[in-house]
Every structure is written in structure tokens, then in C-alpha cells.
Amino acid sequence: MEPIRCSSLFVLCLVLALADCSKKKQVVNNQQPVPEAVADELLAKAEQGDAEAQFQLGRKYMSGRDDPEDQNKGFDWWLKAATQGHVVAQNNIGHCYQGGIGVAENAAEAVRWFVKSAKQGSVDAQYALALIYSEGLGMPKDEAEAMKWYRLAAEQGHVVAQYELAERLYYGLGTTKDEAEGTKWYRLAAEQGHVEAQTTFGALYAIYGETTPKFYADALKWSLKAAEKNNANAQYNVGLLYSGGNGVPQDDVQAFKWFAKAAQQGHVYAQDKTAQMYEKGVGVVKSDREAASWYLKASEQGLADAHASIGALYCDGRGVAKDETSAYKWWLLAKAQKNELSTPQLVAAVEHNLQFLETILTPTQRAEGQRMAREFTPLKATSTESPVSRESHAESRPQSTGSGFFITEDGYLITNQHVADEGAAVRVTTSNGAITAKVIKVDRANDLTLLKAEGKFAPLAITSSRGVRLGSTAATVGFPNVGLQGYSPKLAKGEIASLAGIQDDARHFQISVPVQPGNSGGALVDEHGNVIGVVVAKLSQKAAIATTGTLAENVSYAVKSSYLLSFLESVPEVADKLKEPNTDDRKFEEVIKDAEQAAVLVLVY
């Protein structure tokens, strides 16, 4: 199951409360009620101590297909099965204690049960422990312990564990640095389709000749895999390979195509390259206006070379109105970052140009240019050119994007945790333009994040998901594939296909809504316009083929609104401001209009 992301980089796995039960006998069908006779037989076996029956009965209660959801009963039956050594039940009990599902949260108990399951080979439990110790989720951070569990999960093929293990080994994070072994794990994760691993592995071929040969053909192969999944860093790397004719015949048109794709996602170096190609007419029709537009975008992110270039366009009046004061501002900024300018010749040119302007500008114009330079605050650059060090590699990660929706008039909004986590720099686009949003609280167990933006907005009402029925109409308005489909909101409509998620995960609905990368965090609304869920993931086609031999069509998932409401109850200042659910019949067009007004594109830097 692959979380839905839009542009980019991290392809993080959704940690499910219900683990893979494929090795266990399947007693409960995923979409149909359990016949009464079968239910009675299941209960009888469970009461007689049959661990598998206890597990299936617990899952039945957690899914709420036949009865209203009863997490306490579900937890009790899973605990009985877990106590008898049922590996999946042990993992589920760990998630219950971690997320407060049917029992009070207890980090120590979560770890205890995860360890029991992990020692029996549960890859999900192993990965859960790795996250707990690497991020300090209820326990002190312990990189050595995290490494142990990442390695065990990686050795069983857990793709995110493979990538995290590669990062730690390659950069020596919490362990002895081992670039060769790190590269091995990058390859394994890349071969499983991990986008960031593909991007990094392609860069290792193209850039790090000291650890892997400079096989540019392999660099292109791996970079293209990630670039085609809309990864901005990979798109930029593909542009470099085409531009230089490395591993592929030199092709400026292809180079421009890939630079422009990355530039549209905010990749600062790609923006500069795109501007250069427009200015020179290389690979695209020459356009000073387009060049100026892209130089400005890169300059707004603080790129020194772009400061120098846009200064020249303002001075000459090419692509922008001639404005020597603005030219002075940008060249002052370039001079202040002269150590970051790409060539000594550019440093000398900036110095010369400043000296020239100071002879022709009035004192008032110079003072104004200096003021503008002092007050300039760059946006945090979303991408850098290459991962030379761990620090620059972290900075190089291009922005991820997703969807979100307002839940209060004063600017509280919701998205997924895998879209915006604690410490993230976030901006959201509204009808009033892009504004900054602050991460307020995160619920990792249910993949939810609460954010706050300043202003007045049109929120959606949230209703309990307990009343949702199989086959009910559901819709979402979000921002899928913005690099390809554009930045306007898109509607997707379908039905509730199951009252439980993958492997009967009680927290999720399965939906037939055709969501795409970038829909993560969007509101799933019912026919009254009430939020009944938060779009979170779509079923991996790779997993579907491996399991059934066929592609899965329109199989996606949403976190149930009951879990969202429980999360919001822990923030009283938000819970008190939520709208009352709508009960009147409404035209579908009105419902979608409200969903569109509340929807935002979430940009994470």
C-alpha cells in the first residue's frame, strides 16, 4: 500500500494498525456480512481458546461490519489471541496501545507487544519499532535500536526500511559509515520502486564516482524511474544528463522538458536552468519574459546566480520593465552571497555592475535599493543541485504536495501526517493566494496533521463515520498530480466500497473514488457535504499484481472521520469551533462547491 503523494520525494509506507494476514486462514470476507451460523461458530471457537478464531473475532469487532464498531471488544479478543502467541494479533495490540484504539495509550506496552511480534518475524512490527526508536515516539530515541529493527525489516523486503537503512549507512547516522553497503540498500529500495531511493541511486551513479562507477546510462535509468513519478530532484538530474549528453545523446529539447517539470515544482536550480534556456533560446523558443519569470522564482528562493541574472534583466529592461533600482537590489544580494556564485567571472561581473550603477543612481535610488535588499527574505529553497553531504542532501529534497481542508472559520485545517509532519515548513494555497500554515499537532497512528493558517475561511462540517453505509456516495476535491494536471482543484466521485481498509483495518474506508498522487489529505464528503473521512492512500498496483495477478481499479482508502474527531477532541480550542453537521438534502453541485471552497493545496518545504 503506497501513500499518495504528489510531487515527490518521500514514498513513505502507511503504517497500518492491521498487519498482513496473508499467511493466516481467512475467515471473514472483506466486504460481506458474516453469516449468522458462521458468526456463532466463530464465537464458539474463540470462547474455547482457538487463537485464530479470537483474532478473527477481534477483527470483526474492529471493522464494525456486523455490529457497531466496538474497539474495546475487538481489543479484548486480539489480546486473548496475542497472549497465545498469534503474531498478527501481537502486532495489532502494539498498534492499539500506540494509538489508543480500544485501550488507553501506553508506549511501553506498545513496544512490548511489537517486540513479541517482531521476534516472530512480523516485518510490520519490526518497522514500527524502528520508527519508535528513530523518532522517539513515546520512548527515548535510540539510533542503535532503530538500526537493529530497520535492518531486520529491510532484510525481509520492507521498502521504506531499506531506504532508511541506506540513508543511515551511507551518511553514518547512528552507525558506522559504510557507503558501499548504503548503496546496496539504495539499489534494493530503488528496485522496489521507492522514488527517493531511485533518485539518490541515480545521483550516486552520476555524481559519486568514488563509490560507484560513473555509469551514466544507469544514472539515467534510475533517475528516469523517479522522474516519471514526478520527483523534482530526479527530473532535474535527467535534465542534466540530457544537457550534458551523459548516458544519452545530447538533447536540449529533452533537457528543457525535464528542467521545466522540476522548476514547476519549485526546484530552485531547475528554475535557474529553465530561465537560462529561455534567455538563450536553447531547447525552447527564446523568451526574455519567461526567463525573467523563472529567474525571479529562483531569486525569491535566495539563489545567488539568479540574483545576478535577474539584476541584468532589470538593468537592460529585458523581459521586465527597465528598473535600475531593482537591478541594484538584486546585485547587492548577489554580492552578499558572492561565495555562492558559480564562477569567479560572475563575481567580477556583479562587482563591476554595482560600481557602474552607483555612478548613475541618485542617492535616493541607492537608498531605496539598499532598503529593498535589507528587507528581502528568501523563501526556503525547496531543492538543491546534488547531495554532497547529509546536510545538503536534506536541504535538497524538493517540496512534497498534498491536499487539505479547513475545519474552522479561523484557519484550522487538516491534512495527512505523511504530507506534513512536525517541524515542516508549510504553505497552503487558498483563493487569496499562498499563505503560511503552522503544524499544530500530529497523530501518527492515524496519519493526520492539524495545521493553522491566519485568516477567515469557509470550513467543512465533520460528522461521525459510524452512520456511513456500504455503497454510500462519497467525493473528494483535491490537487492530484499538480505538475501534470495543474493547480486547479479536481473532483473525484465514487462510493464506499468497504467499511474496512486493507486487511480489514477498522480505521479506514475502502473507496472507489479514483484518487491520484496529491489527493492525500483531502476531505472525503458525503451527500450532505459532511466530512466522513480523510483520503490517505491507494492500493499498490504492484501489490495487487503480486497477490491476484491483475491490476486493481479504483481501490483507495480514507481514514474514518470518527478517528479524526477523536484526534480533534484532544485540542479543545479546535473542537469547540467545529461546525454542526449538515442534515438537509442538498444538490450535489452545492456540496462540491463547499468542498472546493474549503480545499487547499498543501506545499511542504
Side-chain angles (χ1 to χ4, degrees):
M1 183 175 179
E2 298 169 359
I4 306 171
R5 280 194 184 268
C6 179
S7 68
S8 96
L9 315 159
F10 297 113
V11 179
L12 300 178
C13 286
L14 184 62
V15 180
L16 298 175
L18 299 178
D20 183 5
C21 304
S22 59
K23 296 182 181 179
K24 299 292 180 180
K25 180 181 177 183
Q26 296 297 314
V27 176
V28 182
N29 184 279
N30 195 33
Q31 297 202 19
Q32 298 182 2
V34 180
E36 187 175 345
V38 175
D40 290 343
E41 181 182 356
L42 187 65
L43 177 60
K45 287 183 177 180
E47 288 177 338
Q48 291 170 12
D50 185 300
E52 180 61 24
Q54 290 168 346
F55 170 73
Q56 297 291 355
L57 192 58
R59 191 169 66 174
K60 171 178 175 290
Y61 277 116
M62 284 289 185
S63 69
R65 282 194 311 274
D66 307 311
D67 305 300
E69 291 180 3
D70 192 328
Q71 296 177 355
N72 294 329
K73 287 183 179 179
F75 174 84
D76 290 342
W77 283 112
W78 273 346
L79 184 60
K80 291 178 187 293
T83 302
Q84 295 195 68
H86 193 290
V87 61
V88 181
Q90 290 172 341
N91 179 53
N92 290 358
I93 288 295
H95 282 294
C96 286
Y97 273 117
Q98 188 178 49
I101 303 170
V103 68
E105 288 187 27
N106 188 319
E109 279 297 295
V111 168
R112 187 168 77 88
W113 285 104
F114 281 140
V115 168
K116 286 179 180 289
S117 183
K119 286 183 175 179
Q120 291 198 70
S122 168
V123 67
D124 295 303
Q126 291 165 353
Y127 181 67
L129 287 166
L131 281 179
I132 285 170
Y133 285 111
S134 65
E135 298 186 19
L137 303 179
M139 302 292 286
K141 286 188 178 183
D142 187 332
E143 280 294 338
E145 194 71 9
M147 274 292 296
K148 178 180 81 173
W149 295 113
Y150 274 131
R151 186 178 290 278
L152 286 170
E155 288 170 349
Q156 291 201 69
H158 194 292
V159 64
V160 180
Q162 290 175 342
Y163 175 73
E164 292 295 337
L165 184 61
E167 291 274 273
R168 283 160 170 76
L169 288 166
Y170 196 90
Y171 295 105
L173 301 175
T175 188
T176 303
K177 184 174 182 177
D178 189 333
E179 293 181 351
E181 190 181 5
T183 300
K184 179 192 82 171
W185 288 109
Y186 277 133
R187 175 189 280 277
L188 290 171
E191 287 172 346
Q192 288 204 70
H194 192 288
V195 177
E196 182 67 4
Q198 291 171 344
T199 303
T200 305
F201 195 60
L204 293 179
Y205 268 102
I207 300 166
Y208 292 123
E210 68 274 18
T211 55
T212 56
K214 291 187 178 180
F215 294 151
Y216 287 111
D218 276 336
L220 182 66
K221 166 189 169 183
W222 290 108
S223 296
L224 270 173
K225 285 179 181 292
E228 288 165 354
K229 295 174 184 174
N230 217 27
N231 180 284
N233 256 4
Q235 290 167 345
Y236 176 71
N237 289 343
V238 171
L240 288 177
L241 292 168
Y242 273 111
S243 179
N246 296 316
V248 68
Q250 199 275 338
D251 188 331
D252 288 327
V253 173
Q254 282 293 317
F256 174 81
K257 165 190 165 183
W258 290 106
F259 284 143
K261 284 178 177 290
Q264 287 166 2
Q265 296 194 63
H267 192 294
V268 64
Y269 287 98
Q271 289 173 342
D272 190 56
K273 287 285 188 182
T274 300
Q276 291 177 34
M277 297 183 85
Y278 269 121
E279 185 180 13
K280 298 172 184 175
V282 175
V284 67
V285 176
K286 178 180 171 64
S287 171
D288 286 337
R289 183 176 179 180
E290 286 292 331
S293 173
W294 287 109
Y295 278 137
L296 276 171
K297 286 180 170 64
S299 290
E300 287 167 356
Q301 295 198 68
L303 186 64
D305 277 17
H307 293 338
S309 298
I310 193 62
L313 294 187
Y314 271 114
C315 190
D316 297 339
R318 290 186 290 120
V320 289
K322 185 178 179 70
D323 185 342
E324 290 166 335
T325 303
S326 290
Y328 187 56
K329 162 199 166 180
W330 290 115
W331 280 335
L332 284 172
L333 289 167
K335 181 180 179 181
Q337 296 173 257
K338 65 180 182 180
N339 292 335
E340 297 177 25
L341 291 170
S342 58
T343 66
Q345 292 80 4
L346 193 54
V347 174
V350 168
E351 295 276 6
H352 174 78
N353 292 338
L354 280 173
Q355 291 173 8
F356 167 72
L357 282 184
E358 285 172 352
T359 65
I360 64 171
L361 293 178
T362 67
T364 300
Q365 289 174 318
R366 290 200 301 272
E368 176 62 10
Q370 291 164 3
R371 182 194 64 78
M372 291 192 296
R374 282 195 308 272
E375 293 179 359
F376 173 74
T377 302
L379 298 172
K380 185 177 180 181
T382 58
S383 295
T384 57
E385 188 165 0
S386 62
V388 176
S389 66
R390 173 66 186 186
E391 291 73 23
S392 64
H393 183 53
E395 290 296 314
S396 73
R397 291 170 174 168
Q399 67 182 23
S400 62
T401 72
S403 301
F405 58 98
F406 285 109
I407 57 172
T408 68
E409 290 185 352
D410 61 346
Y412 284 99
L413 66 146
I414 290 292
T415 188
N416 287 142
Q417 176 263 328
H418 79 253
V419 172
D421 204 348
E422 289 177 329
V426 181
R427 289 174 69 80
V428 296
T429 61
T430 70
S431 58
N432 296 323
I435 57 177
T436 300
K438 180 182 179 182
V439 175
I440 302 299
K441 191 168 185 179
V442 168
D443 178 359
R444 286 187 174 83
N446 295 308
D447 201 352
L448 298 170
T449 291
L450 174 68
L451 302 105
K452 178 67 167 67
E454 295 302 322
K456 189 172 183 179
F457 307 95
L460 291 174
I462 307 172
T463 191
S464 171
S465 54
R466 293 180 184 275
V468 176
R469 297 290 177 259
L470 196 67
S472 298
T473 298
T476 187
V477 174
F479 300 86
N481 291 322
V482 291
L484 297 175
Q485 295 177 244
Y487 290 81
S488 60
K490 307 294 189 298
L491 166 67
K493 182 183 178 184
E495 293 81 34
I496 300 295
S498 175
L499 299 179
I502 192 168
Q503 294 297 338
D504 288 339
D505 190 334
R507 298 170 300 164
H508 298 155
F509 289 125
Q510 180 181 318
I511 55 178
S512 64
V513 179
V515 299
Q516 305 296 329
N519 277 117
S520 274
L524 186 72
V525 299
D526 63 12
E527 64 273 16
H528 299 294
N530 298 315
V531 176
I532 57 172
V534 181
V535 176
V536 69
K538 67 185 297 182
L539 185 66
S540 163
Q541 296 289 21
K542 182 177 179 180
I545 292 174
T547 304
T548 67
T550 61
L551 291 173
E553 296 184 7
N554 291 344
V555 180
S556 304
Y557 302 95
V559 179
K560 293 178 181 178
S561 57
S562 294
Y563 293 88
L564 172 59
L565 287 169
S566 295
F567 171 48
L568 295 175
E569 284 175 3
S570 66
V571 191
E573 63 270 27
V574 177
D576 292 343
K577 299 173 184 176
L578 297 179
K579 287 180 63 177
E580 288 296 320
N582 302 308
T583 57
D584 297 336
D585 291 335
R586 307 176 65 198
K587 292 183 178 179
F588 183 70
E589 292 80 3
E590 295 175 354
V591 168
I592 297 310
K593 182 178 180 181
D594 287 351
E596 180 181 358
Q597 289 178 338
V600 296
L601 171 63
V602 180
L603 307 170
V604 183
Y605 295 90

